[in-house]
Amino acid sequence: MTQARFIEEKIFRGLMLAAAGMVAGSLGLILATVFVKGFRALSFDMLFKTPQGGYYIGGGGGIANAIAGSLVLGLGATLLALLVSLPLVFYLNVYLRRRSRLAFFIRFSLDVLWGIPSIVYGAFGFTVMVTLGLKASLLAGTLTVGLLIIPIMARSMDEVFKMVPPELHEAAYALGSTRWEAAMKVILRQAFPGLAAAVLIAFGRGIGDAASVLFTASFTDALPTSLFRPVATLPLAIFFQLGTPFPEVQERGYAAALVLTLIVLAVSVLARALTRRVTRHSR
Amino acid sequence: MDIRQIKDAIARRSMGLVALGVMSAAFLVGFGLYWRARPVLAGRRWTEILFSAAWHPARGEFGLGGFILGSFWVTAIAMVIAVPLSLLTALYLSEYASRRTREWSRPVVDVLAGISPVVYGVWGMLVVVPLVRDYAMPFLSSRLKFFPFASDNFTGFSALAGGVVLAVMVVPIMVSVMEEILRTVPPEIREASLALGATRWQTTKKAVLKKAWPGVVAAIILGFSRASGETMAVLMVAGCALQAVPKSIFDPAYPLPALIANTYGEMMSVPLYDAAILLAALVLFLLTVLFNAVGWGILLRLEKREG
């Protein structure tokens, strides 16, 4: 009997190590695949030229349209989400008491919104467009992606506020400040790096999502010039290029995947560095 | 009232308004989809749409049954892989790993969660699909000629490939929720068990998991919900051919989100087609909202009790 439980211990320790190794290994494998495959097709033209004639059957050009489009759309959507998330988390953490019923319900709504798949947001964006008589455009795509990343941004901001010591609020109130003054002059400063990290995380998620922009932003070979025209995005560029039967076009899809992954990696490294600055000051 | 208090009052009201907007957003999304899906519901019964697998838009037949089953099939395969993987990883991180390992695990999980679904799709096409085609399928399908293995689809684009890619995609959410829940288990419980002479695994199994299981269930529900809504990666690797009933893990599968994404461009050409697609989105919406409400409901309740 005593032997059996030690054997069981060893078996499960081994299984756990194997599982953790597989999770870490799959990340390594994904990154290695994208880097190895993408690096070969990456070139100056890829990054700085828009698709030329016959691009999707092997003609010259690059994905500058998608890179520029993704950045513009991602920035717009992030700004939009910030305009909603920041007041929301201030309301949650400065004006409402932590245990209040309303705070519970708001957090619950955010969680539910967070769980709605991006394709559903895309479809919803489409219904709104049809109802208002709009065409697929940068504006529609930005609004849809903005809606998609609001819960992502707000939830990570909420986590940041949890780390602000309550004494900081109390000290501000004791000095006679209103809640608004405490929020703007004290809490915002303390939480700033963490909030910036939350914004970056949301940007990374927004820029990588394809299902929400499929109906709403459509695709184009031109650089983004107007809010009311379709816009190209990196995820869709990857998707369409891999969908062609031509190996040289698919190769360029891999390069686009590398560009997108590099952006997402840079964003998460930056976010991590910022988060470290917040946690350093809290207990 | 002086200017400072007026400012404060204005801020409170306008922030409250934003909060109201966020709280009603889910209803708005659901209602918007329902409103546009109504034409296809007129004259058809819910049961007919949900359970019939007859999908012939040109003839006006819009049975979503095949796609709903396809979703469940791919998601089930993903969960069979992802649940043990996530649970073991989370247990390792919370019960066994050193502080340093745990700190290293954070960015790994974060980056896994942040990678674009399309990049997962690329990886699936380059690595998982060939593995299924060249190794898993020839090995299993020729030896085990029964239910979930027998198949004549030799392309590798299959429910299994979709399930594997989905599994990797939902691991981050499940690991992070599970780990957080395991860490709320008070250390005294572990110490008491270890002091009685239990091994670490016995402690984990009989003390820690016993306390943490509602949270673990919630994490699994959330993972399931996330997997059933994933679109692009599955669209790229699962083959996407309609099956009335899934017969094999090596057959192509056509889940609900892939249907919505795939009809982009063609759905305005056939009457009622767009309404049917938005109905599919509504079904997906209701499914994920229900699952998330249950999952997060459990977690928020636990958090309330702990606090």
Side-chain angles (χ1 to χ4, degrees):
Chain A
M1 266 323 275
T2 34
Q3 273 322 54
R5 63 196 195 110
F6 290 118
I7 294 169
E8 193 186 337
E9 170 84 25
K10 282 226 168 81
I11 292 173
F12 273 94
R13 188 184 280 255
L15 281 176
M16 283 183 212
L17 269 173
M22 272 171 82
V23 172
S26 55
L27 176 63
L29 191 60
I30 292 166
L31 293 180
T33 312
V34 172
F35 273 89
V36 169
K37 279 283 188 177
F39 221 71
R40 251 180 279 160
L42 206 59
S43 65
F44 185 82
D45 277 12
M46 276 288 317
L47 292 177
F48 297 105
K49 282 194 176 163
T50 53
Q52 313 290 305
Y55 179 77
Y56 297 97
I57 51 171
I63 50 163
N65 59 330
I67 297 176
S70 261
L71 289 176
V72 171
L73 193 145
L75 285 174
T78 309
L79 198 65
L80 214 76
L82 184 64
L83 286 177
V84 175
S85 306
L86 205 56
L88 185 70
V89 286
F90 269 123
Y91 190 65
L92 265 177
N93 289 285
V94 180
Y95 284 94
L96 294 181
R97 256 169 295 149
R98 194 133 206 109
R99 301 255 159 258
S100 81
R101 202 163 266 275
L102 183 59
F104 180 87
F105 195 68
I106 295 176
R107 289 206 170 86
F108 183 67
S109 306
L110 278 178
D111 290 340
V112 169
L113 283 176
W114 179 89
I116 296 175
S118 61
I119 186 82
V120 172
Y121 282 109
F124 173 68
F126 178 77
T127 63
V128 174
M129 276 160 48
V130 171
T131 309
L132 298 179
L134 295 169
K135 290 236 163 61
S137 59
L138 175 58
L139 181 66
T142 309
L143 289 172
T144 309
V145 175
L147 192 60
L148 168 76
I149 61 178
I150 283 170
I152 298 170
M153 193 187 283
R155 288 171 88 245
S156 31
M157 283 183 168
D158 196 29
E159 290 296 316
V160 173
F161 273 88
K162 273 186 201 162
M163 283 191 290
V164 175
E167 292 86 347
L168 220 54
H169 295 244
E170 286 154 15
Y173 301 146
L175 289 173
S177 81
T178 61
R179 290 188 180 254
W180 172 245
E181 284 164 343
M184 294 317 284
K185 294 183 178 155
V186 181
I187 322 273
L188 184 62
R189 276 195 192 179
Q190 171 73 12
F192 188 77
L195 297 181
V199 170
L200 283 172
I201 291 167
F203 173 74
R205 212 56 67 81
I207 208 171
D209 196 75
S212 56
V213 290
L214 192 60
F215 297 110
T216 54
S218 195
F219 199 81
T220 169
D221 283 351
L223 289 168
T225 49
S226 160
L227 269 175
F228 304 101
R229 297 238 184 89
V231 64
T233 46
L234 271 173
L236 285 182
I238 300 167
F239 180 66
F240 290 140
Q241 290 177 57
L242 283 181
T244 65
F246 308 101
E248 60 268 50
V249 182
Q250 292 182 350
E251 289 280 315
R252 290 190 293 214
Y254 304 147
L258 175 61
V259 172
L260 179 57
T261 307
L262 283 175
I263 295 176
V264 170
L265 276 179
V267 162
S268 56
V269 167
L270 207 57
R272 180 137 290 273
L274 286 167
T275 316
R276 200 159 286 164
R277 288 186 62 179
V278 190
T279 41
R280 198 178 55 191
H281 294 301
S282 69
R283 292 156 299 168
Chain B
M1 205 152 77
D2 77 287
I3 189 84
R4 294 170 55 229
Q5 267 151 10
I6 294 173
K7 255 195 207 165
D8 189 62
I10 292 174
R12 174 198 285 272
R13 298 273 150 71
S14 44
M15 285 174 173
L17 223 58
V18 172
L20 199 70
V22 168
M23 283 189 287
S24 49
F27 294 102
L28 211 65
V29 172
F31 184 75
L33 291 173
Y34 170 73
W35 194 252
R36 282 279 149 194
R38 267 179 326 152
V40 80
L41 284 169
R44 289 178 180 77
R45 258 171 291 132
W46 270 98
T47 45
E48 180 191 329
I49 287 166
L50 289 181
F51 301 116
S52 152
W55 178 259
H56 304 290
R59 279 194 263 145
E61 290 176 14
F62 298 104
L64 295 172
F67 302 101
I68 292 171
L69 269 181
S71 271
F72 272 110
W73 188 226
V74 177
T75 306
I77 295 171
M79 295 314 278
V80 166
I81 302 166
V83 166
L85 204 59
S86 309
L87 186 56
L88 286 169
T89 304
L91 285 175
Y92 175 73
L93 289 175
S94 80
E95 307 300 312
Y96 284 77
S98 66
R99 208 191 146 89
R100 262 187 76 148
T101 318
R102 221 176 303 160
E103 261 161 32
W104 267 100
S105 76
R106 275 288 184 79
V108 171
V109 173
D110 283 355
V111 170
L112 266 179
I115 291 178
S116 165
V118 178
V119 173
Y120 274 104
V122 170
W123 173 69
M125 286 172 86
L126 287 172
V127 177
V128 180
V129 167
L131 274 179
V132 169
R133 181 185 58 213
D134 299 337
Y135 298 98
M137 162 96 190
F139 184 78
L140 287 171
S141 199
S142 56
R143 282 174 181 74
L144 307 166
K145 294 189 167 103
F146 46 83
F147 166 59
F149 302 110
S151 169
D152 54 1
N153 167 37
F154 295 99
T155 59
F157 289 91
S158 55
L160 179 61
V164 170
V165 173
L166 269 186
V168 181
M169 294 181 78
V170 299
V171 158
I173 160 81
M174 289 208 287
V175 168
S176 52
V177 173
M178 283 177 186
E179 203 199 336
E180 201 163 304
I181 284 299
L182 290 171
R183 244 186 302 155
T184 60
V185 176
E188 291 82 8
I189 288 183
R190 297 184 181 86
E191 285 157 13
S193 164
L194 290 171
L196 290 173
T199 63
R200 222 166 230 283
W201 172 250
Q202 282 176 318
T203 303
T204 304
K205 184 173 62 176
K206 296 195 172 143
V208 177
L209 273 182
K210 190 168 186 179
K211 187 105 178 38
W213 74 265
V216 171
V217 171
I220 294 172
I221 293 173
L222 293 176
F224 188 93
S225 166
R226 182 118 284 216
S228 59
E230 262 311 325
T231 311
M232 297 313 270
V234 182
L235 180 62
M236 289 162 86
V237 300
C240 293
L242 183 59
Q243 309 268 321
V245 182
K247 289 188 197 70
S248 164
I249 57 172
F250 298 112
D251 279 350
Y254 205 161
L256 211 49
L259 166 76
I260 303 171
N262 235 356
T263 46
Y264 157 75
E266 61 182 78
M267 69 180 183
M268 298 309 273
S269 53
V270 180
L272 287 183
Y273 201 169
D274 57 330
I277 293 303
L278 294 173
L279 182 69
L282 179 63
V283 170
L284 194 58
F285 167 82
L286 292 174
L287 191 84
T288 46
V289 164
L290 178 73
F291 276 55
N292 272 277
V294 173
W296 291 113
I298 294 175
L299 290 176
L300 285 174
R301 199 156 279 272
L302 282 178
E303 194 184 321
K304 231 179 182 177
R305 206 173 57 193
E306 293 298 327

